[in-house]
Amino acid sequence: MTRGERRRSLLFWAAALILAGVLLLVFNLGLLNRYEPLAQYIVAGLLALGGAAILASYLVRRTTYWRLMPGWTLLALAAMVYLSTLPAVPRPYLASVIFIGLALAFATVYLVDRIEHWWAILPGGFMLVLAGVIAFTVHVKRTETLGAALFVGMGLVFFLVYLLAGPRRHWWALIPGGVLVLFGLITYSVDNELQSALLQWWPAVLLIIGAVLAWMGAAIPPSQPDRLQINTAPRPSLPPETGRGRLGDYTQPAPGASVEILPDPDERAG
């Protein structure tokens, strides 16, 4: 990103945040109560238009995947403002919409690059679990049940990391996933006959996990021992007429040397 593009991007986000802040602040202070629900429709439309524009800018430039986050967030805010005009919609559902929007944002980030963006499964899954728990408060009043749903849901998110991000790379996700699911079951069984059974038999879960890990380890083929490799220089090929020489045998003069035949001493004396 060049300096000019960075400057325009900062100015755009500054204007978008200021506009969204002013609209929501005016809405929360009740200054638009006289014009409801028309004012709510206008605010929802502006937020939806801003979110759609940001998502469209991502489609033009796919490398800026971070734009998916504010785009989905603005769309979720638009949905929340619109649903607030419907009296039949329970208020907890409005808060759930925000978390659903964030979950969709992280899900889209993961789909952009499933190998490098595996981390988006965790925050996206947690946002979806929070949305579900908040929505359950409309129908479920027992605190232990809501806590169990929260912990079990978070544990299932770690299992999802293990399944989608690669079992060999992220086997560690099974450990927090199993602990959270077990803790959620124990939380649900508070003041229940099931609690004593869980507290008595929960070590069996460790046995099952250990057996699964042992089976996975036994399925991996043993690695071959490393062998020391000795690299030898290739032997120079000799001309056919010289034959194969041995160390110390010289069949031809060295390069640059000359051979001179000296007369026999007896011949020189005669």
Side-chain angles (χ1 to χ4, degrees), residues 20 23-24 27 37-53 55 69-86 89 93-102:
L23 290 175
L24 294 176
F27 178 77
L38 179 61
Q40 292 174 294
Y41 294 151
I42 295 175
V43 172
L46 292 175
L47 292 173
L49 183 62
L55 293 179
M69 301 297 298
W72 281 110
T73 302
L74 290 180
L75 290 179
L77 288 173
M80 184 193 70
V81 174
Y82 171 74
L83 292 176
S84 65
T85 62
L86 305 177
V89 177
Y93 286 176
L94 301 181
S96 298
V97 170
I98 298 297
F99 291 104
I100 291 176
L102 293 175

Side-chain angles (χ1 to χ4, degrees), residues 60-209:
V60 174
R61 192 171 183 178
R62 296 295 183 90
T63 56
T64 57
Y65 66 89
W66 53 267
R67 297 186 182 184
L68 297 171
M69 301 297 298
W72 281 110
T73 302
L74 290 180
L75 290 179
L77 288 173
M80 184 193 70
V81 174
Y82 171 74
L83 292 176
S84 65
T85 62
L86 305 177
V89 177
R91 294 306 172 186
Y93 286 176
L94 301 181
S96 298
V97 170
I98 298 297
F99 291 104
I100 291 176
L102 293 175
L104 289 174
F106 284 110
T108 313
V109 171
Y110 165 73
L111 293 176
V112 169
D113 190 344
R114 299 182 182 182
I115 303 299
E116 296 295 333
H117 298 169
W118 65 266
W119 51 266
I121 299 175
L122 289 174
F126 293 159
M127 294 298 105
L128 189 60
V129 170
L130 288 175
V133 171
I134 293 174
F136 286 161
T137 59
V138 178
H139 309 283
V140 179
K141 302 301 181 182
R142 187 170 180 263
T143 306
E144 291 80 7
T145 303
L146 294 175
L150 178 63
F151 288 116
V152 172
M154 294 173 66
L156 293 179
V157 171
F158 280 101
F159 289 149
L160 198 63
V161 171
Y162 173 78
L163 294 175
L164 298 181
R168 295 184 179 180
R169 293 177 55 196
H170 302 286
W171 60 267
W172 55 266
L174 295 175
I175 299 176
V179 171
L180 287 171
V181 170
L182 180 62
F183 191 77
L185 295 177
I186 294 176
T187 303
Y188 176 77
S189 63
V190 172
D191 299 332
N192 195 330
E193 295 179 357
L194 183 62
Q195 182 181 19
S196 59
L198 287 175
L199 293 177
Q200 185 178 5
W201 290 97
W202 76 265
V205 178
L206 300 179
L207 298 178
I208 297 174
I209 296 176

Side-chain angles (χ1 to χ4, degrees), residues 1-52:
M1 180 181 294
T2 63
R3 182 177 299 179
E5 292 177 347
R6 184 180 179 184
R7 181 174 179 273
R8 288 192 297 269
S9 178
L10 290 175
L11 292 176
F12 170 78
W13 288 114
L17 291 175
I18 292 174
L19 179 61
V22 170
L23 290 175
L24 294 176
L25 186 60
V26 170
F27 178 77
N28 290 335
L29 292 176
L31 300 179
L32 300 178
N33 291 341
R34 295 175 53 188
Y35 308 100
E36 291 181 355
L38 179 61
Q40 292 174 294
Y41 294 151
I42 295 175
V43 172
L46 292 175
L47 292 173
L49 183 62

